Amino acid sequence: MPFNRIAIYGHRGWASTAIVKALARSGAPIRVLHQPTSDTSMLPASISTSSVDLGDEESTVEALKDIDIVISLVGHEGIARQFGLIKAIPKTQVKLFVPSDMSHEIDEQGSRIPVLKLKREVEEATRTAGIAMTLVRPCYLVESSIRTLQVDSIPSIVRPNTLNYVAAAYTSLFASTPISELSGRIFGISELSPTGDEIAKALEAKYGQKPEILHHSLQKIDREIDLALDNGSPGATVWYYRRLWGAGKLPHLMGSDIWTVPDYRKMSLDELVVQDKLEAYRDLPQPVLERLLATFTK
């Protein structure tokens, strides 16, 4: 099966680095689009690069020459720059755009949070421009959820993934799958399906004592979201994700079109937590960890 020619925008983040390397190992021709000041020295030798200012439509069109799929992996600070891709793609032979998501569907409450609202606007602008689009929604990553203490002990099922599985999913989805089989679809990714209670038990088995369980009413969480939005605090996002998990909404926001990576041995909760095979997450400054603890215990 022939490879798709892929351009990736956003290559330096914790998650995007792993995805880029996995796609490079697939053998598919990969071109990384980057800002002129961006460091590309750590990219695999097989990847080509193109310095581009997405605000310059002409140079963006040129950078997308001979590309079939554009995958955006930018973090929060780069979400708005995707509008430059949306403006340029109709003037190219690009057949598919994959906006940066790395989360799940945003409901009406979530659309009040500026960065999540912007993600939704990118999706709407893509549709309005008539660009074929595929969305990938891996929900939560195990490494970030457990390492940053954002875990809820509740009976409902959640569907977290390891970063390695997400990277493998991107590779199996886009390296050589015919674009006609991808266009217009929203793929959920689901490696594990534990309940919050099962995660708490795994933590107890790991550390020999029960984790502290905090209980917040939905009314309190809604108040905290409103307060954080009024103050311009990033805490609104943290409380919003906690609400979705605690209310059991996450499986529904991933969609029903779940992509399974062929021949991939999925990790178990016991391996990840009890046997301590959980990969490292990016280091969070101590003040950030303290703020997270203070956010949930107040």
Side-chain angles (χ1 to χ4, degrees), residues 128-140:
T128 300
I131 299 170
M133 177 174 60
T134 295
L135 297 174
V136 181
R137 290 178 171 155
C139 200
Y140 292 151

Side-chain angles (χ1 to χ4, degrees), residues 1-79:
M1 185 177 294
F3 286 118
N4 295 313
R5 299 168 298 179
I6 299 171
I8 298 175
Y9 185 67
H11 69 282
R12 294 186 302 163
W14 173 70
S16 59
T17 297
I19 295 170
V20 169
K21 288 181 178 179
L23 279 164
R25 289 193 296 269
S26 74
I30 306 296
R31 181 183 305 162
V32 164
L33 311 181
H34 63 91
Q35 297 183 80
T37 58
S38 182
D39 181 13
T40 60
S41 61
M42 299 301 290
L43 289 171
S46 61
I47 290 180
S48 66
T49 61
S50 180
S51 174
V52 61
D53 175 4
L54 295 188
D56 182 339
E57 183 179 336
E58 184 176 348
S59 67
T60 304
V61 170
E62 180 63 25
L64 296 177
K65 186 178 180 180
D66 301 323
I67 291 296
D68 301 312
I69 300 175
V70 177
I71 299 175
S72 176
L73 299 172
V74 291
H76 288 180
E77 76 289 345
I79 297 298

Side-chain angles (χ1 to χ4, degrees), residues 47-269:
I47 290 180
S48 66
T49 61
S50 180
S51 174
V52 61
D53 175 4
L54 295 188
D56 182 339
E57 183 179 336
E58 184 176 348
S59 67
T60 304
V61 170
E62 180 63 25
L64 296 177
K65 186 178 180 180
D66 301 323
I67 291 296
D68 301 312
I69 300 175
V70 177
I71 299 175
S72 176
L73 299 172
V74 291
H76 288 180
E77 76 289 345
I79 297 298
R81 291 198 294 271
Q82 296 177 110
F83 290 110
L85 291 170
I86 295 169
K87 188 176 181 180
I89 285 174
K91 298 177 176 62
T92 71
Q93 298 301 309
V94 170
K95 302 177 180 68
L96 188 69
F97 178 44
V98 186
S100 182
D101 197 334
M102 297 300 292
S103 186
H104 45 68
E105 181 183 352
I106 305 304
D107 62 12
E108 290 305 315
Q109 185 178 43
S111 66
R112 297 171 56 209
I113 299 172
V115 69
L116 302 184
K117 179 183 179 182
L118 196 55
K119 286 186 177 184
R120 175 181 276 190
E121 290 173 351
V122 167
E123 295 173 13
E124 292 173 349
T126 302
R127 295 188 185 96
T128 300
I131 299 170
M133 177 174 60
T134 295
L135 297 174
V136 181
R137 290 178 171 155
C139 200
Y140 292 151
L141 294 174
V142 178
E143 295 90 347
S144 60
S145 295
I146 291 181
R147 297 291 191 198
T148 59
L149 314 176
Q150 296 181 65
V151 177
D152 284 288
S153 177
I154 44 92
S156 62
I157 290 175
V158 292
R159 297 188 182 278
N161 299 278
T162 62
L163 177 55
N164 286 336
Y165 188 73
V166 171
Y170 265 82
T171 301
S172 65
L173 272 166
F174 299 113
S176 58
T177 305
I179 292 174
S180 60
E181 297 180 15
L182 301 171
S183 181
R185 294 173 68 179
I186 300 173
F187 293 103
I189 303 176
S190 177
E191 183 179 10
L192 300 96
S193 55
T195 65
D197 289 336
E198 288 170 342
I199 295 174
K201 290 177 181 177
L203 291 170
E204 180 179 355
K206 169 66 177 176
Y207 295 106
Q209 61 183 20
K210 291 184 177 182
E212 182 180 5
I213 306 297
L214 304 175
H215 297 280
H216 298 124
S217 69
L218 293 180
Q219 291 77 13
K220 173 181 171 55
I221 292 175
D222 287 339
R223 288 196 301 271
E224 293 291 346
I225 292 173
D226 289 340
L227 181 62
L229 287 172
D230 289 342
N231 294 335
S233 166
T237 306
V238 177
W239 280 106
Y240 170 64
Y241 288 150
R242 179 159 172 73
R243 192 190 200 288
L244 294 180
W245 192 330
K249 288 187 174 182
L250 288 179
H252 307 290
L253 295 177
M254 289 180 63
S256 58
D257 195 353
I258 305 298
W259 182 264
T260 300
V261 181
D263 303 320
Y264 190 100
R265 193 186 77 80
K266 297 180 178 181
M267 298 292 283
S268 69
L269 190 62

